Amino acid sequence: MIDTILARDSFLLSTELRLFWLVAFLYGVSLFLHIAYLLTKKNSVGKAAAGILWGVVVVHAGMILFRTVEAQRAPFQTLYESLSWFAWSASITYLYVGRKWKDIYLPGIPVTILAMGASLYALLSRSPAVEPLSPPLQSWWFEYHVILAFLSYAVFVVSCSIEIVYLLIKPCLKKGKSSGYGLDLNNIEAFHRTSHKLVLFGFPLLTFGIFSGAAWANDAWGRYWSWDPKETWSLITWTVFAMYLHSMTIPKWQGNTASVFNILGFICMMMTFLGVNWLAKLLGIPSLHVYAV
Amino acid sequence: MQIRTTWLYKKFSSIKTSILFLGILSFFYLLGTIFPQGGDINEYINAGGRFIFLVKIFGLLDAFTTPWFLITSLLLLISLSICSYERLLTLMGKQILDTAPTKSYIIPLNTGENIDNTFIKKLNFKKSYSNPSATVVTRGISYKWLTLIYHLGILLCFTGFFLTYMSAFEDEVIIYPDETKAIQPSSQSRLQRLLGKKHKELPFKIKLEEFITEYNQMPSIDYPKDKLSRLAVGLGWTSNSLNYKIKDDSLFPKDWKSRLRVIKDDALILEKTIEVNEPLKYGGFTFYQAAFKQDIKIEMDGGPLAIDAEVGKETIIPGLEGEIVFKNLRTGTLFKRDGTTEKIIPFVDVYIFKKISDGKTDKEKIGRLEKGSLLTIGSKTFGIKGFSEATILSYRYDPGVPILWFGGIMTLIAMALRIYSPWYRVIYRVDVKDGRTLLKLSINTKGLLADKEHLIKRIQHFVLLSKNP
Ligand code: HEM
């Protein structure tokens, strides 16, 4: 009996892992085509890059569902799983947001770099084994906390990608040159407004993410806030995005100042997600609060 | 209101100032992630910490209690309060826009149509006011009120943090099964320290009826560590390492539970089984399942004397070189992968710690000692004579929590409504020009779900429809 179960679990795991490698490979193909588009400015290449990304998002969705059945619980509770979820949610958000754009493909470059990077990081650095959750993780807060926080991460990724493209293309257009990437003086501001809308959309989600994290910590550890680096970074991210939203209400700051805050917010978000201890290590300063994910 | 015209007041009500304070706070937060918070300076130096001078001067190991941090937070709070007050004054005052409708949308109009009716009855708008130059109608929850409410919510959260900072305290209590324990907090809140007060014993006692441990059986895989082998596994060149196996150490904690009773004046007040994530709340205090403590009685060579040891701690046993550590006492219920459960025969893993040179210790696992059987170490045999498990509860008094929850929920709801829900304001006027009636209007929207194009279509639809009744 138990041997049959273990054999089934092993089979499911190896199928899932193969699917995930395929997904990572396809993100790579999409990235390659996006870069080819950057170099050739051919719309057909951009279309192919986006087409492949649509395809991989569908396969990846299937894989995440597969993992849900395999693990018999929500599939974003270990770092391996949440990296996969991050890659997928950022890609699908990008495709959804860009569905009405005509021949604009450049934001796909940062998005596919992150999607492929996150998938490879999960595959190469984390174990895929399905493991039971430790007692502190068995909370209904956990699922909401993670799912909404990650949704906000996904929109911040796309917002930052748009912001970067805007900052790079706008000077060309100002000089009277054509960008050749589907962006011109008529549509670039509307394109840029999307990044503000995305942060607006993500901000309440991040707020909920932090709040639910505090509620959960209050139940599990008996303290809603411990100034743990992960918590603190999430607060930095939140504060920087609040600064961005405030700057967007000052007409003079809507240009470069706000854009800098938006990109800074994204960097802080990545620090919260992955880089918490990296900075301390970089500066050679020991951190007592190593957060084991 | 003299003060409202001063330079300082104006600065504090400026959104740029709020950005500045938020920026300074972020910088403090950043310091708090770089320097180990709550750490001891000597520990920090021993661990190779740098910038010792700065750390000492600015108190960077306790960045969030330094005056710099507290003053900046206070300044932000003042700014937030002033901004909210100003916004309230604006909202309470009569809001008359002197903007006439722009020429953005000009729609041919049937003279007989009552435009007010169209907006109010058919399009569900509310009239704000009307004057000879224009009529103003709105639909949706006023975004300005929502903005005010969530900024006030943030203010409430800060109040909650402050209350926590001043009056929260926490402590721990260890209770054995069937023991009724009086609770005497030994730590003080900041406020108590300030007032020089000490805690009295709490007016109730806690009894532990039963302590329960549960474990999951955790099959594991031998996943390779190096990246190339992982790639090989992923490509299907080798798949053995993805086979789940049940190993010797496959017990994984599922839950720890304490069946507790609250007793006051010898009467039972409350009974609750708590677990991680499911605390007990009573009398302003919250009791959490923090951990547990295990003690074991070991018999040696079948003799009548028993050795008492705390699980996880070094124990010296006469006649044996080094120190013995009994680790991971497992007892309770095992939930197996096949869905069945079984009672665990209690066991511990036995390790020997030997000091080698340079103050280092060598750790070696000797074996597993199960209740009912014996384990030989050197020339001696050991058996488990008995064991006990006590629950470790941490408890906390924190009057800031309810205020924080209230403020947080208020912030979340108002912010979500402000950002997502649609709000429209239409300013319109009917003009007659060259014998034609025109509707001039300008539309303002807020909220991500607002759809201006759709509203224009609806206005056109009603206005044009009324042309041919
Ligand atoms: C912890 C502190 C604060 C946070 C987290 C915060 C957050 C926010 C957010 C998320 C927005 C939404 C932006 C938008 O709707 O486009 C906003 C808007 C705004 N905030 Fe703050 N805020 C804070 C403090 C302040 C302070 C101190 C002021 C006082 C100057 C202020 C004034 C404003 C104003 C005027 C707006 C624009 C309102 C609107 O467009 O509806 N905020 N704030």
Side-chain angles (χ1 to χ4, degrees):
Chain A
M1 173 72 179
I2 183 75
D3 289 340
T4 325
I5 292 173
L6 293 184
R8 185 202 60 195
D9 288 350
S10 308
F11 172 73
L12 291 177
L13 184 68
S14 55
T15 310
E16 180 212 318
L17 205 62
R18 243 159 255 179
L19 264 176
F20 200 5
W21 274 101
L22 175 69
V23 163
F25 174 72
L26 289 177
Y27 279 130
V29 173
S30 176
L31 171 61
F32 177 77
L33 288 172
H34 274 101
I35 292 174
Y37 168 73
L38 178 73
L39 300 175
T40 62
K41 296 191 176 180
K42 278 193 183 144
N43 280 339
S44 55
V45 179
K47 249 192 197 100
I52 295 274
L53 194 57
W54 269 114
V56 51
V57 157
V58 172
V59 179
H60 201 167
M63 190 209 107
I64 290 173
L65 270 178
F66 189 93
R67 175 85 181 184
T68 314
V69 175
E70 186 190 338
Q72 291 165 22
R73 58 167 167 75
F76 31 67
Q77 307 194 348
T78 62
L79 187 57
Y80 166 85
E81 288 168 334
S82 52
L83 281 163
S84 160
W85 177 259
F86 173 73
W88 179 79
S89 55
S91 306
I92 188 129
T93 306
Y94 165 63
L95 292 172
Y96 179 78
V97 168
R99 74 198 183 288
K100 286 185 186 152
W101 291 342
K102 211 175 159 312
D103 296 331
I104 301 176
Y105 304 107
L106 283 186
I109 297 179
V111 171
T112 43
I113 289 177
L114 283 171
M116 188 185 76
S119 304
L120 286 179
Y121 181 34
L123 284 164
L124 294 174
S125 299
R126 315 298 305 181
S127 164
V130 175
E131 286 166 4
L133 296 177
S134 66
L137 297 190
Q138 297 163 20
S139 160
W140 68 275
W141 277 117
F142 188 22
E143 287 171 21
Y144 296 102
H145 172 67
V146 177
I147 199 165
L148 288 172
F150 273 89
L151 205 59
S152 76
Y153 287 5
V155 294
F156 295 147
V157 166
V158 181
S159 175
C160 178
S161 307
I162 294 175
E163 198 74 72
I164 293 171
V165 171
Y166 173 80
L167 288 180
L168 293 177
I169 298 288
K170 185 78 199 271
C172 286
L173 296 179
K174 269 195 174 160
K175 282 185 204 147
K177 286 189 216 154
S178 142
S179 78
Y181 292 113
L183 288 164
D184 52 39
L185 283 174
N186 293 325
N187 66 2
I188 193 152
E189 292 306 329
F191 167 75
H192 187 213
R193 269 198 296 281
T194 315
S195 72
H196 179 217
K197 283 188 186 161
L198 282 167
V199 175
L200 273 176
F201 180 83
F203 194 77
L205 300 180
L206 182 66
T207 311
F208 180 85
I210 295 174
F211 190 65
S212 57
W216 173 31
N218 195 52
D219 271 359
W221 303 322
R223 206 190 282 181
Y224 60 79
W225 199 264
S226 317
W227 293 112
D228 168 286
K230 188 130 182 148
E231 286 172 351
T232 313
W233 269 107
S234 72
L235 190 63
I236 299 176
T237 309
W238 187 77
T239 312
V240 172
F241 278 121
M243 287 160 74
Y244 166 75
L245 289 176
H246 280 171
S247 330
M248 287 302 285
T249 65
I250 304 171
K252 271 198 182 158
W253 287 25
Q254 276 174 11
N256 293 345
T257 315
S259 298
V260 167
F261 283 136
N262 192 5
I263 292 173
L264 214 59
F266 166 78
I267 295 171
C268 294
M269 179 212 97
M270 290 305 285
M271 286 298 295
T272 314
F273 183 22
L274 298 171
V276 164
N277 291 312
W278 171 80
L279 194 64
K281 263 193 215 144
L282 187 79
L283 295 172
I285 298 165
S287 166
L288 294 179
H289 299 76
V290 178
Y291 200 90
V293 188
Chain B
M1 288 299 270
Q2 277 298 322
I3 192 168
R4 287 182 62 216
T5 55
T6 57
W7 174 85
L8 195 63
Y9 186 90
K10 280 188 186 151
K11 270 276 163 247
F12 268 84
S13 66
S14 139
I15 200 155
K16 283 187 188 163
T17 311
S18 76
I19 297 175
L20 176 73
F21 289 148
L22 287 172
I24 300 176
L25 279 184
S26 305
F27 178 70
F28 277 111
Y29 301 151
L30 187 70
L31 290 180
T33 68
I34 296 175
F35 297 95
Q37 293 305 295
D40 175 62
I41 185 80
N42 294 326
E43 221 173 290
Y44 178 74
I45 296 168
N46 289 341
R50 290 196 245 151
F51 308 112
I52 294 156
F53 179 69
L54 290 181
V55 168
K56 275 189 183 160
I57 292 273
F58 293 107
L60 295 178
L61 296 187
D62 246 325
F64 305 114
T65 55
T66 54
W68 331 107
F69 176 74
L70 296 175
I71 289 172
T72 319
S73 307
L74 187 71
L75 291 177
L76 178 71
L77 272 191
I78 295 174
S79 168
L80 191 52
S81 311
I82 291 181
C83 287
S84 303
Y85 176 66
E86 283 298 308
R87 202 172 287 146
L88 186 68
L89 287 185
T90 325
L91 282 167
M92 300 301 276
K94 214 167 164 45
Q95 295 171 55
I96 300 289
L97 293 161
D98 55 0
T99 41
T102 60
K103 289 181 186 161
S104 319
Y105 306 97
I106 303 177
I107 302 163
L109 181 78
N110 176 4
T111 0
E113 172 65 1
N114 182 337
I115 291 296
D116 289 356
N117 228 13
T118 306
F119 275 108
I120 291 161
K121 293 259 167 69
K122 294 181 181 160
L123 292 167
N124 291 327
F125 274 80
K126 276 203 190 90
K127 195 168 189 167
S128 290
Y129 60 88
S130 176
N131 58 29
S133 69
T135 303
V136 179
V137 288
T138 59
R139 193 172 89 191
I141 311 173
S142 156
Y143 78 94
K144 288 188 175 166
W145 278 105
L146 290 173
T147 304
L148 174 65
I149 294 171
Y150 72 70
H151 279 90
L152 286 178
I154 294 170
L155 206 61
L156 264 184
C157 289
F158 270 98
T159 318
F161 295 147
F162 184 70
L163 259 181
T164 295
Y165 179 78
M166 288 310 291
S167 14
F169 64 88
E170 59 194 9
D171 211 339
E172 245 179 33
V173 53
I174 301 176
I175 317 178
Y176 282 87
D178 285 330
E179 188 187 8
T180 306
K181 196 114 179 199
I183 315 277
Q184 171 64 62
S186 60
S187 71
Q188 286 166 296
S189 68
R190 282 193 174 77
L191 192 66
Q192 281 168 321
R193 254 178 275 155
L194 220 68
L195 302 175
K197 280 193 174 169
K198 282 230 157 97
H199 285 289
K200 291 194 198 113
E201 195 177 287
L202 301 191
F204 56 88
K205 292 184 173 133
I206 301 273
K207 181 176 181 204
L208 176 67
E209 289 286 305
E210 190 185 7
F211 181 69
I212 303 154
T213 47
E214 292 172 349
Y215 293 88
N216 274 318
Q217 190 173 48
M218 185 174 79
S220 56
I221 57 173
D222 283 322
Y223 200 54
K225 287 253 178 312
D226 73 295
K227 297 190 168 44
L228 268 182
S229 314
R230 288 186 173 184
L231 178 64
V233 173
L235 296 176
W237 292 337
T238 153
S239 63
N240 280 349
S241 54
L242 291 180
N243 285 342
Y244 282 106
K245 291 186 198 95
I246 296 200
K247 296 187 184 153
D248 217 18
D249 53 356
S250 68
L251 263 59
F252 187 82
K254 178 175 187 293
D255 219 338
W256 312 297
K257 297 178 184 171
S258 300
R259 199 143 64 78
L260 299 179
R261 285 183 168 189
V262 178
I263 292 173
K264 196 171 180 180
D265 304 329
D266 292 332
L268 172 68
I269 304 285
L270 190 71
E271 183 164 342
K272 182 170 178 180
T273 303
I274 68 163
E275 54 190 286
V276 184
N277 278 315
E278 188 60 54
L280 162 83
K281 292 185 175 133
Y282 181 73
F285 286 81
T286 313
F287 293 84
Y288 302 89
Q289 182 65 65
F292 54 85
K293 174 175 178 288
Q294 298 170 317
D295 299 295
I296 190 162
K297 265 190 190 327
I298 299 287
E299 58 182 18
M300 199 165 66
D301 294 334
L305 278 178
I307 302 162
D308 288 315
E310 187 178 333
V311 172
K313 296 260 163 75
E314 289 93 345
T315 309
I316 293 169
I317 293 183
L320 277 187
E321 197 194 333
E323 288 170 334
I324 300 287
V325 178
F326 299 96
K327 273 180 116 168
N328 310 330
L329 170 68
R330 297 290 186 241
T331 176
T333 311
L334 174 63
F335 291 75
K336 294 172 78 173
R337 182 66 190 95
D338 59 11
T340 57
T341 55
E342 84 182 19
K343 277 258 152 287
I344 299 169
I345 301 170
F347 67 83
V348 277
D349 290 327
V350 187
Y351 288 79
I352 190 153
F353 282 30
K354 282 185 187 154
K355 291 235 167 358
I356 46 175
S357 56
D358 303 341
K360 287 185 185 145
T361 37
D362 186 30
K363 187 174 122 181
E364 188 196 342
K365 183 170 175 180
I366 300 172
R368 178 165 284 185
L369 178 56
E370 203 173 76
K371 191 157 183 7
S373 36
L374 299 171
L375 179 73
T376 308
I377 309 173
S379 57
K380 299 186 185 302
T381 48
F382 295 91
I384 296 180
K385 195 164 191 177
F387 61 87
S388 63
E389 285 187 299
T391 188
I392 303 183
L393 306 179
S394 70
Y395 60 93
R396 184 168 170 87
Y397 172 79
D398 187 348
V401 170
I403 295 176
L404 177 68
W405 280 181
F406 185 77
I409 291 168
M410 182 168 148
T411 306
L412 270 172
I413 293 176
M415 189 187 279
L417 284 173
R418 157 68 184 90
I419 288 180
Y420 304 134
S421 80
W423 177 88
Y424 302 92
R425 184 184 62 208
V426 180
I427 308 175
Y428 64 85
R429 187 172 74 208
V430 179
D431 275 349
V432 178
K433 202 176 171 198
D434 302 334
R436 279 196 311 159
T437 314
L438 299 172
L439 173 66
K440 279 189 172 182
L441 46 83
S442 55
I443 299 175
N444 226 309
T445 65
K446 293 276 174 191
L448 292 174
L449 292 171
D451 188 344
K452 196 166 169 179
E453 302 306 316
H454 182 68
L455 178 65
I456 294 168
K457 277 197 191 119
R458 297 259 298 156
I459 296 172
Q460 274 175 334
H461 169 76
F462 283 116
V463 173
L464 291 176
L465 204 69
S466 60
K467 260 177 131 180
N468 309 303

